[in-house]
Amino acid sequence: MASPVDPEEFTAALRQYPAGVCLLTVQDDIDDVGTTVSAVMSVSAVPPLVAVGLAADGYPAEVLGAVGRCALTVLAAEHAIVASRFSSAGRPSARHLLESVPWTRAEHSGAIVLSGGLAALDCRLERLVEAGDHVLALLEVVGVPVLADAARPPLLRLRGRYVDESGGLAGRA
């Protein structure tokens, strides 16, 4: 049964909701894959679980399903350019997009985490759940390799733009 809600109207309504921005990375046998995600939510503290929405037909979801582990870095407002790079279609290896950005590898997943992120989660894939044109990746958090001490502003996505907590454009000097 078709939904009575117009998809464009639905998308426009949800654009009014500010969301935190993360970088999801996966290391497979060939390369490092990354994508910008803003559909991230805490699911449980015991056991520690988060859920991430990914395009069902996208390469990151395919690689995550095959590898079974990933990392999430919570981005600071200063990472707006990084978020833009990883949200573009046809992007090269994650390592090439991060040439001037300090990063390390998470212990369990081996995936890239940004050293300057607000936080990073090392994760094991619990399961993928089909959800329309997306999948929800239910992730068990097995480590927290980055947890920033300083209170830097987070990167948010609002109305199709990256903004800081004040609503101003992020990543500008």
Side-chain angles (χ1 to χ4, degrees):
M1 179 175 163
S3 172
V5 177
D6 175 47
E8 288 182 27
E9 186 177 48
F10 173 73
T11 300
L14 290 183
R15 286 170 52 106
Q16 301 303 316
Y17 181 72
V21 182
C22 293
L23 175 63
L24 180 138
T25 56
V26 180
Q27 180 191 36
D28 69 4
D29 293 336
I30 301 169
D31 205 353
D32 291 283
V33 175
T35 189
T36 303
V37 292
S38 57
V40 178
M41 66 178 263
S42 171
V43 175
S44 170
V46 180
L49 298 171
V50 294
V52 177
L54 297 168
D57 62 354
Y59 188 59
E62 178 185 332
V63 174
L64 176 59
V67 172
R69 58 192 183 282
C70 67
L72 279 171
T73 301
V74 180
L75 299 180
E78 66 204 53
H79 294 125
I81 292 172
V82 171
S84 292
R85 288 177 188 164
F86 280 91
S87 64
S88 301
R91 55 195 171 270
S93 164
R95 290 186 313 274
H96 297 299
L97 295 175
L98 295 171
E99 286 180 355
S100 62
V101 180
W103 57 270
T104 61
R105 292 202 180 271
E107 183 180 348
H108 171 74
S109 66
I112 291 172
V113 294
L114 302 190
S115 303
L118 299 180
L121 306 175
D122 196 6
C123 302
R124 180 186 66 79
L125 178 63
E126 178 72 26
R127 69 179 163 267
L128 291 173
V129 179
E130 291 182 25
D133 60 358
H134 278 63
V135 294
L136 293 178
L138 186 60
L139 304 170
E140 178 185 8
V141 179
V142 297
V144 180
V146 174
L147 187 56
D149 295 334
R152 296 188 342 260
L155 182 61
L156 302 173
R157 185 151 177 88
L158 176 64
R159 299 182 185 119
R161 301 182 89 170
Y162 294 120
V163 299
D164 63 21
E165 60 194 1
S166 72
L169 289 179
R172 298 234 173 152

